Amino acid sequence: MEKNRNTYILIAILVVILWAAISVVNIIKNTTGELVEPVNVLNTRAAGIFNSTPTVFADPVTIIRDVRSLARLETIHYSLEKVITAETGSGDLSFLFGDKLLFVAHGTVIAGINLENLDEEDMKLRNGTLYVTLPAPEVFVATLDNEKSYVYDRDTGLLTKGDFDLETLARQTAEDAIYEAALEDGILQQAQVNAENYLVRLFRSLGYPDVVLEFPNGD
C-alpha cells in the first residue's frame, strides 16, 4: 500500500514538472519568438498524456466452448411485434408509488425441421416411390431484437423513481409472448408445409419422381 502511494506521488511530481517546463518554454517563446519546434513537441506529448484517446482491443486468445454440426432446415421466418404492459404498485395509491410502462417488443421466430434427427430407416423406397418420415417441425429461434424494441411510455408515481428491474422483466416477458404468438399463428404448421414443398422438389431433382413425406403426427 505504501509502495503504491509513493508511486502515485512520484507520477504527480513528474506531471507538475512537465507542465512547469511547458509553461517556461511558452514564456520564452512569447518573449523571444524562438524554440517554436520544441514547444510544439512538448505540447503534443502533453496533450497525448492528458487527453489520450481510449484504446480498445480484443484479446488474441479465443476459447471455443462448444462446436456442433447443424442440419437444420429453416423453412419459415417470423418478424413480429407485441406490446407489453408491466406495472408495480397498482391500486389506490398508484399515483404515489406506482410504476407502469408500455414496452414495444420486436422479435424474431424461426422454425423448420432438424434433419439431424433423420435416420436411415426413415427413408424407404417401395415400388419406385420414396417414403420419407420427417422429424416434427420445431422452433429453432425465438428471440427479442433489443435494438428495435423500446419503451413507448412510462408513468411513475409522485413518490417513487420507478422499479429498476421493471424494463428487464418486460423484456423477458416479451420474449415468451413472441414465442407464444408465433405458435398461435400457426408457425409450426406453415414450417411443415414449406418443408414438404422444398423437400419434394429436392428429392425429385435427385431422381425420385414419386415422393411421399410423412410426419410423426401422421400428416
Side-chain angles (χ1 to χ4, degrees):
M1 193 71 180
E2 184 68 24
K3 184 178 179 180
N4 291 336
R5 185 168 60 184
N6 292 337
T7 301
Y8 295 146
I9 293 173
L10 179 59
I11 293 174
I13 293 173
L14 291 175
V15 170
V16 172
I17 293 174
L18 176 60
W19 275 113
I22 293 173
S23 300
V24 171
V25 175
N26 278 324
I27 293 173
I28 296 174
K29 181 193 73 171
N30 294 332
T31 56
T32 64
E34 299 175 352
L35 300 177
V36 175
E37 187 62 28
V39 169
N40 289 338
V41 173
L42 285 174
N43 282 333
T44 300
R45 295 193 176 182
I49 294 175
F50 296 101
N51 300 293
S52 60
T53 301
T55 301
V56 181
F57 59 92
D59 194 303
V61 179
T62 301
I63 300 175
I64 300 176
R65 298 295 187 185
D66 192 15
V67 176
R68 298 180 183 178
S69 60
L70 298 178
R72 292 176 175 176
L73 176 60
E74 298 179 356
T75 59
I76 190 167
H77 178 286
Y78 265 37
S79 180
L80 44 82
E81 284 188 347
K82 290 282 291 185
V83 176
I84 304 298
T85 302
E87 61 182 328
T88 60
S90 59
D92 295 337
L93 299 179
S94 60
F95 70 99
L96 293 176
F97 305 104
D99 185 11
K100 180 179 180 179
L101 64 81
L102 294 179
F103 182 74
V104 179
H106 184 93
T108 298
V109 184
I110 300 175
I113 59 174
N114 191 352
L115 296 178
E116 188 178 15
N117 298 327
L118 192 65
D119 297 324
E120 292 183 4
E121 56 268 22
D122 294 325
M123 302 180 65
K124 299 177 182 179
L125 186 62
R126 295 197 299 264
N127 299 324
T129 300
L130 179 64
Y131 294 85
V132 182
T133 302
L134 294 170
E138 60 183 282
V139 173
F140 297 141
V141 175
T143 184
L144 185 69
D145 189 332
N146 288 300
E147 292 185 358
K148 295 182 179 180
S149 303
Y150 58 93
V151 176
Y152 176 77
D153 185 39
R154 187 162 191 170
D155 184 18
T156 56
L158 298 176
L159 301 180
T160 180
K161 294 182 179 180
D163 187 345
F164 179 78
D165 296 324
L166 192 60
E167 183 177 344
T168 300
L169 178 61
R171 289 179 180 273
Q172 293 171 347
T173 304
E175 193 163 288
D176 293 336
I178 287 171
Y179 172 79
E180 293 297 334
L183 291 181
E184 292 176 3
D185 197 56
I187 189 173
L188 293 181
Q189 290 82 356
Q190 190 60 49
Q192 177 174 319
V193 171
N194 293 349
E196 290 174 337
N197 294 334
Y198 173 78
L199 291 174
V200 165
R201 293 195 305 269
L202 175 63
F203 287 126
R204 285 176 178 173
S205 68
L206 295 175
Y208 300 97
D210 297 322
V211 181
V212 176
L213 301 180
E214 299 175 337
F215 286 85
N217 57 8
D219 295 341

